[in-house]
Amino acid sequence: MAWIPNNPKGLESSNGVQSANPDLALSARRSATDRENRLHELKNRVHRRLVERLNVAQLETLEASRMAEEIRRAVLMLLEEEPIPLNLEERANLVQELEFEVLGLGPLETLMRDPTISDILVNRSDLIYIERAGRLERTEVRFRDNAHLMRIINKIVSNVGRRIDESSPMVDARLQDGSRVNAIIPPLALDGPMLSIRRFAVQRPTLEDLISKGSLTAEIGEVLKAIVKARLSILISGGTGAGKTTLLNILSGFIPATERIITIEDSAELQLQQEHVCRLETRPANVEGKGEITARDLVRNSLRMRPDRIIVGEVRGAEVMDMLQAMNTGHEGSMTTVHANSPREALIRLETMISLSGFNIMEKAMRQLISSSLNVIIQAARQSDGTRRVTHLAEVTGMESGVISLQDIFVFERQGVDDSGRVLGQFKATGVRPRFAERCKIFGVPIPDDIFAPPSATGGLWGKPSKRW
């Protein structure tokens, strides 16, 4: 028998100590895997028995804390009937996992309870990523299999009265805390069901939070407050994850409580604090392909509800025409968002949506409608270091030579990145005094002229670049 040197390839035992015998290390790994498989089988068996024995109708009448306590007690009783011996840690983990299965989102529940996580991305049952501080990272969390993941997806969509199956393999939904959910399943998803959760912050960010994080400056914040109170119609533009909905939420907070507000969304996310708010949500078609209620239907209906302002979560289709007409016919101060990478591209996107919606309207008339309806475009962007910033605040000034005129009031000038990859740059006023400054003065929210002054050679109001952004 050939002599084998001790740990020739640096093999380790299951407890992390180098093993002199690779066969022992392999045996330990197999034993750990077998133990894990047995625990999974035990969990499935106890979960099935738990569901059979629970009185769901009675359980739902209890408070959340009492409900969790009853489930934990039931699980412990069922574990006592199992022949497999468990140590204290294994028992505690199984109880918590089964509690999450019944009351929460299964394996994702631990991620949902982490306030630092902004996105949860399930690419496969065994491949889950999260976004934290603007950066993606892989997690060790996993579902047992595709059937397990599918059960959680069905649980989410059924709670909001929607469905997902082979005939309707895509769905948008929301969680109870307002988080946005998108799911797509086979045959469209080739590697199994996929789930994306855009977390809704429990502590809703304020304007001061954005200023402290470097998303904008105090001077820009003062202008944003004024243009909302002066009933200027606002379009927030930006890419996916740029913070458009967060910014829309914050701006809506400056609307006076005396005004009637109607919100229209595909999946309700806006959390307005005013009392006089009517929240509307679109509805997909049913199994027979009937009963669909689109954003356009809701915008048109909202005009009959005597709104002071209409807030559309995002325009992406034919509803853009009705939204612009509403802004132009007595519903000033309305707001919406659109996917685009610059203020100019946002205008082009609006034109494209109008054209693709089948409206027979001349290009000049279309641009006149847009320019007379919108007053301000706010551009938000998520930059390479994960930070979200307002990169442009532009004013729509009308038409010139058949083209919609824009003028930048504030811009963020990117100047590079530091050694740690953070984006360096500076917010600057362009020196242009906007036309809306007079309107703000008339509405009792005057804006000091020095806010619009460009950086001076000696520094001045805007001269010092930020240490962070």
Side-chain angles (χ1 to χ4, degrees):
M1 178 176 179
W3 175 76
I4 302 177
N6 286 339
N7 197 21
K9 296 184 179 179
L11 294 175
E12 294 184 353
S13 66
S14 58
N15 61 3
V17 180
Q18 285 189 341
S19 172
N21 189 336
D23 292 335
L24 289 178
L26 180 60
S27 176
R29 285 196 294 270
R30 285 177 177 172
S31 177
T33 302
D34 291 342
R35 179 69 175 175
E36 184 179 349
N37 290 335
R38 285 198 298 271
L39 288 176
H40 272 300
E41 292 173 2
L42 173 62
K43 176 185 169 184
N44 295 337
R45 190 162 57 249
V46 173
H47 182 253
R48 284 195 301 270
R49 294 170 60 195
L50 180 65
V51 172
E52 291 171 359
R53 296 191 185 185
L54 280 179
N55 187 334
V56 179
Q58 184 178 0
L59 200 63
E60 289 178 346
T61 63
L62 303 177
E63 295 181 356
S65 58
R66 180 72 186 281
M67 193 186 305
E69 181 182 343
E70 290 293 330
I71 289 175
R72 284 195 292 269
R73 188 168 63 176
V75 170
L76 289 173
M77 292 175 60
L78 291 173
L79 288 178
E80 292 295 333
E81 301 173 7
E82 292 292 334
I84 301 179
L86 301 173
N87 59 40
L88 290 177
E89 182 181 0
E90 290 172 339
R91 183 179 296 269
N93 288 339
L94 272 177
V95 170
Q96 186 178 64
E97 288 175 12
L98 286 166
E99 179 189 338
F100 289 165
E101 287 289 335
V102 177
L103 297 180
L105 302 183
L108 300 183
E109 193 64 28
T110 53
L111 303 179
M112 292 295 297
R113 298 188 180 203
D114 186 343
T116 65
I117 295 174
S118 57
D119 290 88
I120 300 173
L121 309 171
V122 182
N123 295 349
R124 292 197 313 262
S125 61
D126 60 346
L127 183 61
I128 301 175
Y129 285 84
I130 61 171
E131 181 188 281
R132 183 184 278 120
R135 300 294 180 91
L136 289 176
E137 54 186 85
R138 184 173 177 176
T139 71
E140 296 299 322
V141 176
R142 59 186 292 270
F143 289 88
R144 184 175 61 256
D145 50 31
N146 285 338
H148 187 195
L149 173 56
M150 196 65 208
R151 187 169 70 243
I152 297 298
I153 292 175
N154 278 316
K155 184 177 181 180
I156 293 172
V157 300
S158 62
N159 284 339
V160 291
R162 303 199 174 185
R163 66 184 180 87
I164 185 167
D165 50 40
E166 287 191 5
S167 62
S168 179
M170 297 184 296
V171 69
D172 287 316
R174 68 179 186 279
L175 301 178
Q176 289 184 347
D177 66 354
S179 298
R180 189 190 324 175
V181 177
N182 176 269
I184 182 168
I185 65 173
L188 301 186
L190 301 182
D191 297 324
M194 301 172 68
L195 180 67
S196 304
I197 301 177
R198 302 289 306 280
R199 295 289 308 283
F200 180 83
V202 177
Q203 297 294 330
R204 194 176 67 148
T206 63
L207 185 63
E208 289 70 26
D209 292 331
L210 297 192
I211 293 171
S212 65
K213 292 178 181 178
S215 297
L216 46 83
T217 64
E219 292 77 19
I220 296 176
E222 188 173 343
V223 173
L224 294 181
K225 287 183 185 179
I227 63 177
V228 173
K229 294 178 179 179
R231 296 183 61 87
L232 294 174
S233 296
I234 300 171
L235 176 67
I236 301 175
S237 168
T240 301
K244 300 186 297 298
T245 304
T246 298
L247 193 54
L248 186 61
N249 246 328
I250 291 173
L251 294 183
S252 66
F254 304 129
I255 298 175
T258 56
E259 298 186 17
R260 177 175 169 86
I261 308 167
I262 296 179
T263 67
I264 298 169
E265 303 172 85
D266 283 332
S267 293
E269 295 177 89
L270 296 175
Q271 299 289 327
L272 276 65
Q273 302 304 304
Q274 293 88 340
E275 182 179 357
H276 202 166
V277 177
C278 301
R279 304 172 68 211
L280 305 179
E281 186 179 59
T282 62
R283 186 179 71 182
N286 59 19
V287 180
E288 293 80 20
K290 300 178 180 179
E292 180 183 15
I293 304 296
T294 65
R296 187 184 184 194
D297 297 328
L298 294 179
V299 172
R300 296 173 71 178
N301 186 79
S302 69
L303 299 178
R304 306 184 185 99
M305 299 173 64
R306 199 262 174 216
D308 288 309
R309 305 200 196 208
I310 300 172
I311 299 178
V312 179
E314 180 184 345
V315 289
R316 53 165 67 97
E319 69 274 9
V320 64
M321 192 69 170
D322 300 282
M323 185 68 193
L324 292 173
Q325 288 178 326
M327 290 177 171
N328 203 25
T329 55
H331 302 92
E332 296 172 324
S334 297
M335 309 179 208
T336 188
T337 71
V338 69
H339 273 80
N341 295 323
S342 71
R344 176 60 63 183
E345 288 185 20
L347 294 176
I348 296 173
R349 180 86 193 279
L350 295 181
E351 293 182 22
T352 303
M353 284 190 286
I354 293 173
S355 300
L356 293 177
S357 299
F359 294 104
N360 187 16
I361 180 173
M362 296 179 61
E363 184 179 82
K364 183 178 180 181
M366 177 171 57
R367 291 179 177 175
Q368 284 177 336
L369 174 63
I370 295 173
S371 64
S372 61
S373 302
L374 293 176
N375 301 113
V376 176
I377 300 178
I378 303 170
Q379 182 68 37
R382 181 173 63 174
Q383 301 187 314
S384 57
D385 60 354
T387 56
R388 295 165 171 85
R389 294 188 177 89
V390 173
T391 58
H392 293 79
L393 194 155
E395 181 183 30
V396 180
T397 59
M399 291 274 292
E400 185 176 341
S401 302
V403 178
I404 301 173
S405 300
L406 280 176
Q407 58 181 12
D408 287 332
I409 310 302
F410 303 110
V411 297
F412 177 79
E413 291 188 355
R414 179 167 173 163
Q415 298 169 345
V417 294
D418 63 12
D419 294 337
S420 62
R422 292 186 303 178
V423 173
L424 301 175
Q426 183 178 7
F427 288 99
K428 289 186 177 181
T430 61
V432 175
R433 187 177 187 274
R435 297 181 183 181
F436 62 67
E438 285 301 320
R439 181 183 175 97
C440 292
K441 184 177 180 182
I442 294 172
F443 275 76
V445 281
I447 305 173
D449 287 342
D450 58 358
I451 283 183
F452 305 115
S456 63
T458 57
L461 182 64
W462 295 87
K464 294 181 180 180
S466 163
K467 61 184 178 181
R468 177 172 172 81
W469 61 85

